[in-house]
Amino acid sequence: MKVLSIESSCDETSASVVKIQDNVITVLSHITATSLDLHSKTGGIIPENAAREQVKYIMPVIIRALIESKNETIKTDDKENYTFAQKILKQEIDSIAVTYGPGLIGSLLVGVETAKTLSFTLNKPLIPVNHLLAHLFANFISQPNVTFPFIGLIVSGGHTDLLHFKSVSEYEWLGGTRDDAAGEALDKIGRLMNLSYPAGPEIEKRAKQEIQTKIAFKSPILNENTFDFSFSGLKAEVMRYVQNKNLSEDNKNEICFAVQKAVIDVLVKKTLAAAQQYNCPTILLGGGVSANQTLKENFKQEARSQKLEVKILSPEKVYCTDNAAMIGAYALLNTVEKPWKEVFANPNLHLQ
Ligand code: KG4
Ligand code: ZN
């Protein structure tokens, strides 16, 4: 089975062609257009700006994904590209998968309405996909040996959630953030220090240069007996710390180290505790923050030091942040097709 998948829940516009054969999920093409430059200027995403960019990108990205899935190159003639892409979609694609939530309403509408139109005009079934679950299912791309049950930790710019997955379609929500998401806290803290947007990657880079700082921030609700998280207190603590200080580059590196440690410590502790409590031999990480190398290393170190027999997996870096390939992977493993008339963008889609 082969799907065309579309993701446009936040600032990225992404399309991919993904197939499953003998239980192996393979990405045949993956194209993402980003409007990050625009958002760097404003230090965050202005939803209307993001959606306007996505209207511009959506069809070129889809056309390119279809053509590159055949290992063909884009021609200079737009009409020729469009005709070829439509032929591929008509003849070779079984279904269209699309993110229907959660996310920014304008951004979601761009992807959902495009997918619905293609579904209607080319008579292809539609598979609506929850963006958050897809972040975890990015782990199944090219990794056929991922098994159930597992504990899933979604750590992105908008979400921090712990799930206990029993089968492809059966999960229990264990806890989530009470306020800011982990990535959101990193991005807001980055803004306090004038770091690039989004700040996660720069915080990771700076933290690597500083390991001997005396600065320590509290890991929020680290010792509370709950699978919930909270990161707004950390942001407030850093805000108080940097207030009225003229920070040198070394100071910034120290703060980045301490912030990253506070975030990682609580993510690792609660996720490993969930794996123990639910007797899960596997942990899957997903979402933009799971691209963080130190997070992945700390997970493995801590599991070793607690003598836990647990496998910790994370997606390939390109599939950690928002991408359409993960939407295709989820749709191929959990193929629930819907008529186009029943699919709607839902910005507030929940996990619970
Ligand atoms: O999953 P994602 O692309 O978008 C959402 O669905 O929210 O996640 C984006 C988030 C941003 O907050 C960004 O700062 C963070 O992921 N991020 C990282 C790293 N790369 C991206 N955080 C820490 N370390 C990284 N290497
Ligand atoms: Zn995401």
Side-chain angles (χ1 to χ4, degrees):
M1 181 176 176
K2 213 189 257 185
V3 295
L4 165 70
S5 52
I6 299 170
E7 152 64 36
S8 69
S9 64
C10 194
D11 56 328
E12 319 282 22
T13 315
S14 184
S16 190
V17 175
V18 188
K19 75 164 185 181
I20 189 163
Q21 196 172 9
D22 302 328
N23 256 343
V24 182
I25 291 179
T26 312
V27 177
L28 299 178
S29 64
H30 176 227
I31 308 294
T32 301
T34 179
S35 49
L36 207 59
D37 280 356
L38 195 71
H39 310 308
S40 310
K41 286 181 200 138
T42 48
I45 296 167
I46 297 176
E48 289 73 11
N49 287 351
R52 272 195 286 270
E53 289 300 292
Q54 285 165 316
V55 171
K56 214 159 55 187
Y57 293 143
I58 189 80
M59 280 317 292
V61 162
I62 290 173
I63 289 168
R64 198 171 179 144
L66 286 164
I67 292 176
E68 291 195 6
S69 75
K70 301 287 294 170
N71 280 328
E72 296 284 346
T73 46
I74 296 284
K75 307 283 189 305
T76 44
D77 182 351
D78 283 348
K79 216 165 155 189
E80 193 182 340
N81 289 328
Y82 179 77
T83 310
F84 185 37
Q86 198 181 61
K87 191 169 151 209
I88 300 166
L89 182 49
K90 223 186 218 160
Q91 293 179 354
E92 299 190 26
I93 301 293
D94 298 296
S95 307
I96 300 169
V98 64
T99 302
Y100 74 108
L104 305 171
I105 181 63
S107 298
L108 286 168
L109 277 173
V110 175
V112 168
E113 296 306 315
T114 305
K116 283 170 80 166
T117 311
L118 292 174
S119 162
F120 170 72
T121 52
L122 296 169
N123 199 21
K124 298 284 170 187
L126 214 50
I127 307 174
V129 174
N130 181 322
H131 175 89
L132 298 175
L133 299 182
H135 266 307
L136 293 179
F137 280 69
N139 283 284
F140 289 83
I141 296 172
S142 312
Q143 296 193 96
N145 299 324
V146 186
T147 48
F148 294 88
F150 64 76
I151 294 294
L153 172 67
I154 304 163
V155 258
S156 70
H159 294 266
T160 308
D161 290 287
L162 259 181
L163 305 174
H164 173 211
F165 255 91
K166 296 165 198 167
S167 70
V168 169
S169 57
E170 210 187 340
Y171 71 83
E172 181 188 357
W173 182 83
L174 304 180
T177 185
R178 294 173 184 171
D179 38 59
D180 288 355
E184 183 182 2
L186 294 176
D187 295 342
K188 286 178 176 168
I189 288 168
R191 199 150 56 191
L192 295 174
M193 295 188 282
N194 288 325
L195 306 189
S196 52
Y197 176 85
E202 186 173 345
I203 289 179
E204 174 173 28
K205 215 157 101 199
R206 285 178 173 272
K208 279 204 177 115
Q209 296 173 34
E210 175 55 61
I211 44 168
Q212 297 206 317
T213 182
K214 289 198 177 70
I215 305 173
F217 297 120
K218 278 199 284 298
S219 286
I221 60 172
L222 183 71
N223 297 317
E224 272 184 40
N225 193 17
T226 162
F227 290 125
D228 279 351
F229 300 91
S230 162
F231 294 101
S232 68
L234 175 65
K235 180 188 65 190
E237 204 186 339
V238 179
M239 197 188 285
R240 280 193 297 276
Y241 186 87
V242 302
Q243 229 162 31
N244 304 323
K245 282 200 181 78
N246 209 347
L247 297 175
S248 69
E249 293 306 307
D250 282 347
N251 291 150
K252 286 186 185 176
N253 293 348
E254 285 184 69
I255 294 167
C256 287
F257 177 86
V259 164
Q260 183 177 270
K261 182 172 177 346
V263 170
I264 288 179
D265 283 354
V266 71
L267 293 175
V268 169
K269 182 172 174 178
K270 298 209 172 206
T271 310
L272 290 180
Q276 260 185 309
Q277 185 169 325
Y278 289 89
N279 206 12
C280 277
T282 307
I283 290 173
L284 300 189
L285 311 179
V289 182
S290 72
N292 188 295
Q293 198 57 36
T294 315
L295 172 72
K296 293 184 265 190
E297 283 162 13
N298 285 21
F299 255 113
K300 288 183 182 159
Q301 264 167 23
E302 191 54 31
R304 262 197 308 273
S305 78
Q306 290 185 27
K307 299 198 168 38
L308 297 179
E309 294 275 328
V310 63
K311 200 160 61 176
I312 296 145
L313 301 174
S314 55
E316 212 181 296
K317 198 165 178 177
V318 62
Y319 303 131
C320 285
T321 45
D322 289 350
N323 67 90
M326 69 184 192
I327 305 301
Y330 182 85
L332 288 169
L333 290 166
N334 206 342
T335 312
V336 182
E337 294 174 344
K338 288 257 169 88
W340 66 269
K341 279 185 183 169
E342 290 176 21
V343 177
F344 301 98
N346 181 355
N348 303 317
L349 188 64
H350 287 299
L351 287 172
Q352 295 165 68

